[in-house]
Short mmCIF file of all heavy atoms in Angstrom, two decimals:
data_model
loop_
_atom_site.label_atom_id
_atom_site.label_comp_id
_atom_site.label_asym_id
_atom_site.label_seq_id
_atom_site.Cartn_x
_atom_site.Cartn_y
_atom_site.Cartn_z
N GLY A 261 3.80 -2.58 -13.89
CA GLY A 261 2.77 -2.60 -14.91
C GLY A 261 3.37 -2.42 -16.30
O GLY A 261 4.59 -2.37 -16.48
N LYS A 262 2.52 -2.25 -17.29
CA LYS A 262 2.95 -2.16 -18.68
C LYS A 262 3.82 -0.95 -18.95
O LYS A 262 4.69 -0.97 -19.82
CB LYS A 262 1.72 -2.14 -19.60
CG LYS A 262 0.90 -3.41 -19.58
CD LYS A 262 -0.32 -3.30 -20.47
CE LYS A 262 -1.15 -4.57 -20.42
NZ LYS A 262 -2.38 -4.47 -21.27
N THR A 263 3.60 0.12 -18.23
CA THR A 263 4.36 1.35 -18.48
C THR A 263 5.47 1.56 -17.45
O THR A 263 6.03 2.64 -17.35
CB THR A 263 3.42 2.57 -18.45
OG1 THR A 263 2.81 2.67 -17.15
CG2 THR A 263 2.34 2.46 -19.51
N GLY A 264 5.78 0.51 -16.69
CA GLY A 264 6.80 0.64 -15.65
C GLY A 264 6.26 1.19 -14.35
O GLY A 264 7.03 1.45 -13.42
N ASN A 265 4.95 1.39 -14.29
CA ASN A 265 4.35 1.86 -13.05
C ASN A 265 4.36 0.76 -11.99
O ASN A 265 4.42 -0.42 -12.32
CB ASN A 265 2.91 2.33 -13.30
CG ASN A 265 2.03 1.25 -13.89
OD1 ASN A 265 2.42 0.58 -14.84
ND2 ASN A 265 0.85 1.07 -13.35
N ARG A 266 4.36 1.16 -10.74
CA ARG A 266 4.40 0.20 -9.65
C ARG A 266 2.99 -0.18 -9.21
O ARG A 266 2.14 0.69 -9.01
CB ARG A 266 5.19 0.78 -8.46
CG ARG A 266 6.68 0.92 -8.73
CD ARG A 266 7.37 1.50 -7.50
NE ARG A 266 8.82 1.42 -7.61
CZ ARG A 266 9.58 2.34 -8.20
NH1 ARG A 266 9.03 3.41 -8.72
NH2 ARG A 266 10.89 2.17 -8.26
N ILE A 267 2.78 -1.47 -9.03
CA ILE A 267 1.50 -1.99 -8.56
C ILE A 267 1.77 -2.77 -7.28
O ILE A 267 2.50 -3.78 -7.29
CB ILE A 267 0.84 -2.91 -9.61
CG1 ILE A 267 0.64 -2.14 -10.92
CG2 ILE A 267 -0.47 -3.46 -9.08
CD1 ILE A 267 0.21 -3.02 -12.08
N TYR A 268 1.22 -2.29 -6.17
CA TYR A 268 1.44 -2.92 -4.87
C TYR A 268 0.21 -3.73 -4.48
O TYR A 268 -0.89 -3.17 -4.34
CB TYR A 268 1.70 -1.86 -3.80
CG TYR A 268 2.95 -1.05 -4.02
CD1 TYR A 268 2.89 0.17 -4.70
CD2 TYR A 268 4.18 -1.49 -3.55
CE1 TYR A 268 4.04 0.92 -4.90
CE2 TYR A 268 5.33 -0.73 -3.75
CZ TYR A 268 5.26 0.47 -4.42
OH TYR A 268 6.39 1.21 -4.62
N LEU A 269 0.39 -5.03 -4.33
CA LEU A 269 -0.66 -5.85 -3.72
C LEU A 269 -0.48 -5.76 -2.21
O LEU A 269 0.60 -6.03 -1.68
CB LEU A 269 -0.55 -7.30 -4.18
CG LEU A 269 -0.60 -7.58 -5.69
CD1 LEU A 269 -0.63 -9.09 -5.94
CD2 LEU A 269 -1.78 -6.89 -6.33
N LEU A 270 -1.54 -5.36 -1.52
CA LEU A 270 -1.48 -5.16 -0.07
C LEU A 270 -2.39 -6.15 0.62
O LEU A 270 -3.60 -6.16 0.41
CB LEU A 270 -1.90 -3.73 0.28
CG LEU A 270 -2.01 -3.40 1.77
CD1 LEU A 270 -0.66 -3.59 2.48
CD2 LEU A 270 -2.53 -1.99 1.97
N GLY A 271 -1.81 -6.98 1.48
CA GLY A 271 -2.58 -7.99 2.19
C GLY A 271 -3.33 -7.41 3.39
O GLY A 271 -2.74 -6.73 4.22
N LEU A 272 -4.62 -7.68 3.45
CA LEU A 272 -5.45 -7.21 4.55
C LEU A 272 -5.86 -8.34 5.49
O LEU A 272 -6.64 -8.12 6.42
CB LEU A 272 -6.70 -6.52 4.01
CG LEU A 272 -6.46 -5.33 3.06
CD1 LEU A 272 -7.79 -4.72 2.64
CD2 LEU A 272 -5.58 -4.28 3.72
N GLY A 273 -5.32 -9.55 5.22
CA GLY A 273 -5.62 -10.67 6.10
C GLY A 273 -7.05 -11.15 5.98
O GLY A 273 -7.69 -11.04 4.91
N GLU A 274 -7.59 -11.68 7.07
CA GLU A 274 -8.96 -12.15 7.10
C GLU A 274 -9.90 -10.99 7.42
O GLU A 274 -9.47 -9.93 7.86
CB GLU A 274 -9.10 -13.27 8.14
CG GLU A 274 -8.20 -14.46 7.84
CD GLU A 274 -8.27 -15.53 8.93
OE1 GLU A 274 -9.20 -15.47 9.75
OE2 GLU A 274 -7.38 -16.39 8.96
N ARG A 275 -11.17 -11.20 7.23
CA ARG A 275 -12.15 -10.12 7.44
C ARG A 275 -12.12 -9.59 8.87
O ARG A 275 -12.38 -8.40 9.10
CB ARG A 275 -13.56 -10.60 7.09
CG ARG A 275 -13.79 -10.75 5.60
CD ARG A 275 -13.90 -9.41 4.93
NE ARG A 275 -13.87 -9.52 3.46
CZ ARG A 275 -13.99 -8.48 2.64
NH1 ARG A 275 -14.13 -7.27 3.16
NH2 ARG A 275 -13.94 -8.65 1.33
N LYS A 276 -11.77 -10.43 9.82
CA LYS A 276 -11.71 -9.98 11.21
C LYS A 276 -10.59 -8.96 11.42
O LYS A 276 -10.59 -8.20 12.38
CB LYS A 276 -11.50 -11.17 12.15
CG LYS A 276 -10.15 -11.86 11.97
CD LYS A 276 -9.98 -13.03 12.93
CE LYS A 276 -8.59 -13.68 12.76
NZ LYS A 276 -8.39 -14.81 13.69
N ASP A 277 -9.61 -8.93 10.52
CA ASP A 277 -8.49 -8.00 10.62
C ASP A 277 -8.84 -6.60 10.13
O ASP A 277 -8.02 -5.68 10.24
CB ASP A 277 -7.29 -8.51 9.83
CG ASP A 277 -6.73 -9.81 10.37
OD1 ASP A 277 -6.65 -9.93 11.61
OD2 ASP A 277 -6.38 -10.70 9.58
N ALA A 278 -10.06 -6.41 9.61
CA ALA A 278 -10.45 -5.09 9.10
C ALA A 278 -10.41 -4.02 10.18
O ALA A 278 -10.24 -2.83 9.88
CB ALA A 278 -11.85 -5.16 8.49
N VAL A 279 -10.51 -4.40 11.46
CA VAL A 279 -10.50 -3.42 12.55
C VAL A 279 -9.15 -2.71 12.66
O VAL A 279 -9.05 -1.63 13.23
CB VAL A 279 -10.87 -4.07 13.90
CG1 VAL A 279 -12.29 -4.59 13.86
CG2 VAL A 279 -9.88 -5.16 14.27
N LYS A 280 -8.10 -3.31 12.14
CA LYS A 280 -6.76 -2.70 12.20
C LYS A 280 -6.22 -2.44 10.80
O LYS A 280 -5.00 -2.40 10.59
CB LYS A 280 -5.81 -3.57 13.01
CG LYS A 280 -5.73 -5.03 12.56
CD LYS A 280 -4.79 -5.84 13.46
CE LYS A 280 -4.72 -7.29 12.97
NZ LYS A 280 -3.78 -8.10 13.78
N LEU A 281 -7.12 -2.22 9.86
CA LEU A 281 -6.75 -2.04 8.46
C LEU A 281 -5.75 -0.89 8.27
O LEU A 281 -4.87 -0.96 7.43
CB LEU A 281 -8.02 -1.80 7.64
CG LEU A 281 -7.91 -1.62 6.13
CD1 LEU A 281 -9.12 -2.24 5.45
CD2 LEU A 281 -7.86 -0.14 5.77
N GLU A 282 -5.88 0.17 9.08
CA GLU A 282 -4.97 1.30 8.90
C GLU A 282 -3.51 0.91 9.13
O GLU A 282 -2.60 1.52 8.57
CB GLU A 282 -5.36 2.46 9.82
CG GLU A 282 -5.07 2.29 11.29
CD GLU A 282 -6.18 1.57 12.04
OE1 GLU A 282 -7.03 0.94 11.39
OE2 GLU A 282 -6.18 1.64 13.27
N GLN A 283 -3.28 -0.14 9.94
CA GLN A 283 -1.90 -0.57 10.19
C GLN A 283 -1.25 -1.11 8.93
O GLN A 283 -0.05 -0.90 8.69
CB GLN A 283 -1.88 -1.63 11.30
CG GLN A 283 -2.32 -1.14 12.65
CD GLN A 283 -2.30 -2.23 13.71
OE1 GLN A 283 -1.68 -3.28 13.53
NE2 GLN A 283 -3.00 -2.01 14.81
N ALA A 284 -2.02 -1.82 8.11
CA ALA A 284 -1.48 -2.35 6.86
C ALA A 284 -1.10 -1.22 5.90
O ALA A 284 -0.03 -1.24 5.28
CB ALA A 284 -2.49 -3.29 6.21
N PHE A 285 -1.98 -0.22 5.79
CA PHE A 285 -1.68 0.91 4.91
C PHE A 285 -0.52 1.74 5.45
O PHE A 285 0.30 2.26 4.68
CB PHE A 285 -2.93 1.78 4.73
CG PHE A 285 -3.88 1.24 3.70
CD1 PHE A 285 -4.89 0.35 4.06
CD2 PHE A 285 -3.77 1.61 2.38
CE1 PHE A 285 -5.76 -0.16 3.11
CE2 PHE A 285 -4.64 1.12 1.41
CZ PHE A 285 -5.64 0.22 1.79
N GLN A 286 -0.44 1.87 6.77
CA GLN A 286 0.66 2.62 7.36
C GLN A 286 2.00 1.96 7.03
O GLN A 286 2.96 2.65 6.63
CB GLN A 286 0.49 2.70 8.88
CG GLN A 286 1.63 3.45 9.58
CD GLN A 286 1.52 3.40 11.09
OE1 GLN A 286 0.73 2.64 11.65
NE2 GLN A 286 2.32 4.20 11.78
N LYS A 287 2.08 0.65 7.18
CA LYS A 287 3.34 -0.05 6.92
C LYS A 287 3.73 0.08 5.45
O LYS A 287 4.90 0.37 5.13
CB LYS A 287 3.20 -1.52 7.30
CG LYS A 287 4.46 -2.33 7.06
CD LYS A 287 4.27 -3.79 7.42
CE LYS A 287 5.54 -4.59 7.09
NZ LYS A 287 5.37 -6.04 7.37
N LEU A 288 2.78 -0.15 4.55
CA LEU A 288 3.08 -0.05 3.12
C LEU A 288 3.58 1.34 2.76
O LEU A 288 4.60 1.50 2.09
CB LEU A 288 1.85 -0.41 2.30
CG LEU A 288 2.00 -0.18 0.78
CD1 LEU A 288 3.02 -1.13 0.19
CD2 LEU A 288 0.65 -0.33 0.08
N CYS A 289 2.86 2.35 3.21
CA CYS A 289 3.22 3.73 2.89
C CYS A 289 4.58 4.09 3.48
O CYS A 289 5.44 4.67 2.81
CB CYS A 289 2.14 4.68 3.40
SG CYS A 289 2.47 6.43 3.07
N PHE A 290 4.80 3.72 4.74
CA PHE A 290 6.05 4.06 5.42
C PHE A 290 7.25 3.45 4.71
O PHE A 290 8.30 4.10 4.56
CB PHE A 290 5.99 3.58 6.87
CG PHE A 290 7.20 3.93 7.68
CD1 PHE A 290 7.31 5.16 8.29
CD2 PHE A 290 8.25 3.01 7.84
CE1 PHE A 290 8.43 5.49 9.05
CE2 PHE A 290 9.37 3.33 8.59
CZ PHE A 290 9.47 4.57 9.19
N GLU A 291 7.11 2.19 4.25
CA GLU A 291 8.25 1.48 3.69
C GLU A 291 8.46 1.73 2.21
O GLU A 291 9.56 1.48 1.70
CB GLU A 291 8.09 -0.02 3.95
CG GLU A 291 8.13 -0.38 5.43
CD GLU A 291 8.17 -1.87 5.70
OE1 GLU A 291 8.31 -2.65 4.72
OE2 GLU A 291 8.07 -2.27 6.87
N THR A 292 7.46 2.22 1.50
CA THR A 292 7.60 2.33 0.04
C THR A 292 7.41 3.73 -0.53
O THR A 292 7.69 3.96 -1.69
CB THR A 292 6.59 1.40 -0.67
OG1 THR A 292 5.25 1.85 -0.41
CG2 THR A 292 6.75 -0.04 -0.21
N LYS A 293 6.98 4.70 0.29
CA LYS A 293 6.65 6.02 -0.26
C LYS A 293 7.84 6.70 -0.92
O LYS A 293 7.66 7.52 -1.83
CB LYS A 293 6.08 6.92 0.84
CG LYS A 293 7.04 7.25 1.96
CD LYS A 293 6.37 8.04 3.07
CE LYS A 293 7.35 8.31 4.21
NZ LYS A 293 6.71 8.93 5.37
N LYS A 294 9.07 6.36 -0.52
CA LYS A 294 10.25 6.97 -1.13
C LYS A 294 10.39 6.58 -2.59
O LYS A 294 11.11 7.24 -3.35
CB LYS A 294 11.50 6.58 -0.35
CG LYS A 294 11.77 5.09 -0.27
CD LYS A 294 12.94 4.78 0.65
CE LYS A 294 13.11 3.27 0.83
NZ LYS A 294 14.20 2.97 1.80
N TYR A 295 9.72 5.50 -3.00
CA TYR A 295 9.80 5.06 -4.39
C TYR A 295 8.66 5.61 -5.26
O TYR A 295 8.66 5.46 -6.47
CB TYR A 295 9.77 3.53 -4.47
CG TYR A 295 10.86 2.86 -3.67
CD1 TYR A 295 10.53 2.05 -2.58
CD2 TYR A 295 12.20 3.03 -3.98
CE1 TYR A 295 11.52 1.43 -1.82
CE2 TYR A 295 13.20 2.42 -3.23
CZ TYR A 295 12.85 1.62 -2.16
OH TYR A 295 13.83 1.01 -1.41
N TRP A 296 7.66 6.21 -4.62
CA TRP A 296 6.51 6.68 -5.36
C TRP A 296 6.86 7.92 -6.18
O TRP A 296 7.80 8.65 -5.87
CB TRP A 296 5.36 7.03 -4.43
CG TRP A 296 4.86 5.87 -3.62
CD1 TRP A 296 5.22 4.55 -3.75
CD2 TRP A 296 3.93 5.93 -2.55
NE1 TRP A 296 4.56 3.78 -2.83
CE2 TRP A 296 3.77 4.60 -2.08
CE3 TRP A 296 3.22 6.94 -1.94
CZ2 TRP A 296 2.90 4.28 -1.03
CZ3 TRP A 296 2.37 6.63 -0.90
CH2 TRP A 296 2.22 5.32 -0.45
N LYS A 297 6.04 8.13 -7.17
CA LYS A 297 6.14 9.39 -7.90
C LYS A 297 5.32 10.42 -7.16
O LYS A 297 5.22 10.39 -5.95
CB LYS A 297 5.70 9.17 -9.34
CG LYS A 297 6.61 8.16 -10.07
CD LYS A 297 6.08 7.78 -11.43
CE LYS A 297 6.98 6.69 -12.04
NZ LYS A 297 6.47 6.21 -13.34
N LYS A 298 4.70 11.33 -7.81
CA LYS A 298 4.00 12.41 -7.11
C LYS A 298 2.68 11.95 -6.50
O LYS A 298 2.16 12.60 -5.61
CB LYS A 298 3.76 13.59 -8.05
CG LYS A 298 5.04 14.31 -8.43
CD LYS A 298 4.73 15.54 -9.28
CE LYS A 298 6.00 16.29 -9.62
NZ LYS A 298 5.73 17.48 -10.46
N ASP A 299 2.15 10.86 -7.01
CA ASP A 299 0.87 10.43 -6.46
C ASP A 299 0.77 8.91 -6.47
O ASP A 299 1.55 8.21 -7.10
CB ASP A 299 -0.31 11.07 -7.21
CG ASP A 299 -0.27 10.79 -8.71
OD1 ASP A 299 0.57 9.97 -9.14
OD2 ASP A 299 -1.06 11.39 -9.44
N ILE A 300 -0.22 8.42 -5.73
CA ILE A 300 -0.49 6.99 -5.64
C ILE A 300 -2.01 6.81 -5.65
O ILE A 300 -2.75 7.64 -5.11
CB ILE A 300 0.14 6.38 -4.38
CG1 ILE A 300 0.06 4.85 -4.38
CG2 ILE A 300 -0.50 6.94 -3.12
CD1 ILE A 300 1.18 4.17 -5.09
N GLN A 301 -2.47 5.75 -6.27
CA GLN A 301 -3.91 5.45 -6.31
C GLN A 301 -4.21 4.26 -5.40
O GLN A 301 -3.36 3.39 -5.21
CB GLN A 301 -4.34 5.10 -7.73
CG GLN A 301 -3.97 6.12 -8.79
CD GLN A 301 -4.19 5.55 -10.18
OE1 GLN A 301 -5.24 5.74 -10.79
NE2 GLN A 301 -3.20 4.84 -10.69
N ILE A 302 -5.41 4.23 -4.88
CA ILE A 302 -5.87 3.10 -4.08
C ILE A 302 -7.16 2.55 -4.69
O ILE A 302 -8.12 3.30 -4.89
CB ILE A 302 -6.14 3.50 -2.61
CG1 ILE A 302 -4.85 4.00 -1.95
CG2 ILE A 302 -6.70 2.32 -1.83
CD1 ILE A 302 -5.05 4.51 -0.54
N ASN A 303 -7.16 1.27 -4.99
CA ASN A 303 -8.36 0.63 -5.50
C ASN A 303 -9.32 0.41 -4.33
O ASN A 303 -9.17 -0.52 -3.54
CB ASN A 303 -8.00 -0.70 -6.16
CG ASN A 303 -9.22 -1.42 -6.71
OD1 ASN A 303 -10.21 -0.78 -7.05
ND2 ASN A 303 -9.15 -2.73 -6.81
#
């Protein structure tokens, strides 16, 4: 972003994939949390 903050676009697939939505968040968090600062926001 403008201030050097990280913005992660997270793919949730098609609407039918909403039943396993936690898997997408788990993968993103597991693979990138080491780069985060003290907090992260979710839109």
Side-chain angles (χ1 to χ4, degrees):
K262 295 178 181 179
T263 61
N265 58 312
R266 290 180 169 87
I267 302 170
Y268 297 93
L269 303 186
L270 175 61
L272 303 182
E274 300 176 15
R275 287 288 169 178
K276 66 180 182 179
D277 296 318
V279 296
K280 53 182 180 178
L281 182 145
E282 73 274 16
Q283 295 179 17
F285 279 89
Q286 179 186 11
K287 180 182 177 183
L288 173 66
C289 180
F290 183 84
E291 295 188 7
T292 66
K293 64 185 178 187
K294 59 187 174 184
Y295 304 115
W296 299 352
K297 297 172 185 176
K298 291 185 178 179
D299 56 9
I300 189 86
Q301 307 169 94
I302 298 176
N303 180 26

